[in-house]
């Protein structure tokens, strides 16, 4: 049950030494270019995205790979937005079109070929990827083709730095890990944790988020008992678990992905499981670990464990609309962000009177701020048709895109696990970056 919603203004400073590439609720291997330039191997030449009168969305979201649990709600968000846009008359007099693609993960390396297919299908806007690491392998490929890349889940700080700090064709509806790191540190402090042990994947996602949390904890006068990293493809976690158990922390922050289900039993054996050491997750591993979804964890082992997931409250009527699209949904993570990426793109196309990617990009920021408030596609489209400047506030929150294409205001949900190892939201923290 949601208890309340809290708002604060975040005044965070990223230290000069911070590793700037992280990943949404599941990142992948870092592309080694410093400063965010030349994100990946983009030797594949794709057809240029040009307006043809039909706004086409390509989705590059995880059907397979380590983030596949995020795929269903993200696809549902896209499908719901496309349905509602077309029910309201479409864009530029035509129904919008959705073409699905699988982002996989960095290990599978399928994203560049999937992007080629999406661009060949005349995609003007590609919604994805979920993982910042995967996005970095295709960002230049997509932008060089003149299409908009619009992620519902990238949290890397790198997209606002280096070459990508300038306005371009990249946008996202998820806030950077600057906000999630601050919210997690604040949650730990509010819960009375003053000496936190951190166990994290040794990749861009884990290192960046661990550093953000540690910086915020130490700035508030708390300490970090130990920061222990494990290899992203590790098969054993024995030494890391032993180090955490011996660290003497009063809480554990575990920053991981699907390997969490393997690590938790080892922590329990070492006397550092969630019932011995209060445990906290992040968006990459705040998943459903109930017997129906993950029988590897006995019921009750996660009772009281908390986690953070970027995103606003999607309960109630919006959830019902999503379930009408996909009745099998058990998670709604990043569904609202996916929905809003499609809605704002469609509104930008109307404002620009063009479905071309570059025209949409030029209008995207403006439809999210400093205009007449509106909250549905139909309402906003009607205002645009009457010549109004609009400020769309969506299912994921106020959005308020900045010049770099990232939200300057967003929400982080705080979730807690019950005796069946299922999580539910207990709070939402709204912050400005």
């Amino acid at each position: 049950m949601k208890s309340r919603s809290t708002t604060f203004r975040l005044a965070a400073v990223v230290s000069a030494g911070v590793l700037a590439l992280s990943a949404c609720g599941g990142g992948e291997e870092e592309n080694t270019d410093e400063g965010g330039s030349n994100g990946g191997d983009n030797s594949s030449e794709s057809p240029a995205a040009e307006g043809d009168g039909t706004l086409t969305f390509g989705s590059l979201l995880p059907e397979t790979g380590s983030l596949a649990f995020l795929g269903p709600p993200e696809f549902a968000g896209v499908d719901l937005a496309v349905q509602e846009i077309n029910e309201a008359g479409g864009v530029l007099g035509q129904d919008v079109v959705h073409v699905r693609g699988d982002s996989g993960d960095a290990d599978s390396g399928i994203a560049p070929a999937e992007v080629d297919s999406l661009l060949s299908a005349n995609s003007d806007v590609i919604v994805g990827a979920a993982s910042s690491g995967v996005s970095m392998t295709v960002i230049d490929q997509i932008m060089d083709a003149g299409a908009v890349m619009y992620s519902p889940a990238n949290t890397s700080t790198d997209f606002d730095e280096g070459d990508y700090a300038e306005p371009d064709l990249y946008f996202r509806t998820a806030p950077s890990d600057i906000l999630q790191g601050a919210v997690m540190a604040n949650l730990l402090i509010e819960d009375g944790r003053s000496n936190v042990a951190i166990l994290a994947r040794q990749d861009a996602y884990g290192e960046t988020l661990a550093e953000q949390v540690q910086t915020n904890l130490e700035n508030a006068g708390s300490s970090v008992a130990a920061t222990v990293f494990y290899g992203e493809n590790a098969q054993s976690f024995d030494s890391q678990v032993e180090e955490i158990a011996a660290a003497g922390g009063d809480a554990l922050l575990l920053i991981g992905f699907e390997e969490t289900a393997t690590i938790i039993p080892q922590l329990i054996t070492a006397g550092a499981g969630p019932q011995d050491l209060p445990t906290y997750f992040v968006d990459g591993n705040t998943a459903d670990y109930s017997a129906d979804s993950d029988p590897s964890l006995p019921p009750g082992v996660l009772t009281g464990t908390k986690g953070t997931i970027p995103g606003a409250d999607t309960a109630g009527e919006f959830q019902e609309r999503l379930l009408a699209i996909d009745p099998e949904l058990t998670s709604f993570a990043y569904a609202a962000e996916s929905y809003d990426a499609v809605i704002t793109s469609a509104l930008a196309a109307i404002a620009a009177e063009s479905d071309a990617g570059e025209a949409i990009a030029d209008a995207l920021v403006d439809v999210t701020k400093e205009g007449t408030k509106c909250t549905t596609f139909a309402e906003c489209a009607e205002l645009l048709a009457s010549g109004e400047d609009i400020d769309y506030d969506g299912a994921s929150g106020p959005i308020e895109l900045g010049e770099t294409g990232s939200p300057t205001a967003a929400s982080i949900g705080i979730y807690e696990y019950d005796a069946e190892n299922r999580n539910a939201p207990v709070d939402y923290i709204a912050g400005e970056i």
Side-chain angles (χ1 to χ4, degrees), residues 184 187-193 196 199 250-255 277-282 285-286 304-308:
M184 174 56 74
L187 173 62
L188 289 162
I189 292 166
E190 284 190 345
D191 284 354
R193 318 305 179 195
V196 180
L199 178 59
D250 61 9
L252 169 64
L253 171 60
L254 177 52
I255 302 173
L277 188 64
T279 300
Y280 297 77
F281 293 162
V282 291
N285 55 352
T286 303
T305 294
K306 295 179 181 178
T308 53

Side-chain angles (χ1 to χ4, degrees), residues 9 99 135:
R9 181 171 182 82
V99 182
S135 288

Side-chain angles (χ1 to χ4, degrees), residues 251-270:
L252 169 64
L253 171 60
L254 177 52
I255 302 173
F257 306 144
E258 58 189 6
E259 69 275 4
T260 295
T262 301
I263 294 173
I264 291 295
Q266 294 186 25
L267 287 167
I268 293 171
T269 300

Side-chain angles (χ1 to χ4, degrees), residues 4 9 21 23 50 57 78 198 239 256 378:
R4 61 189 175 88
R9 181 171 182 82
L21 178 62
E50 297 180 356
F57 290 95
V78 173
I198 301 175
S239 63

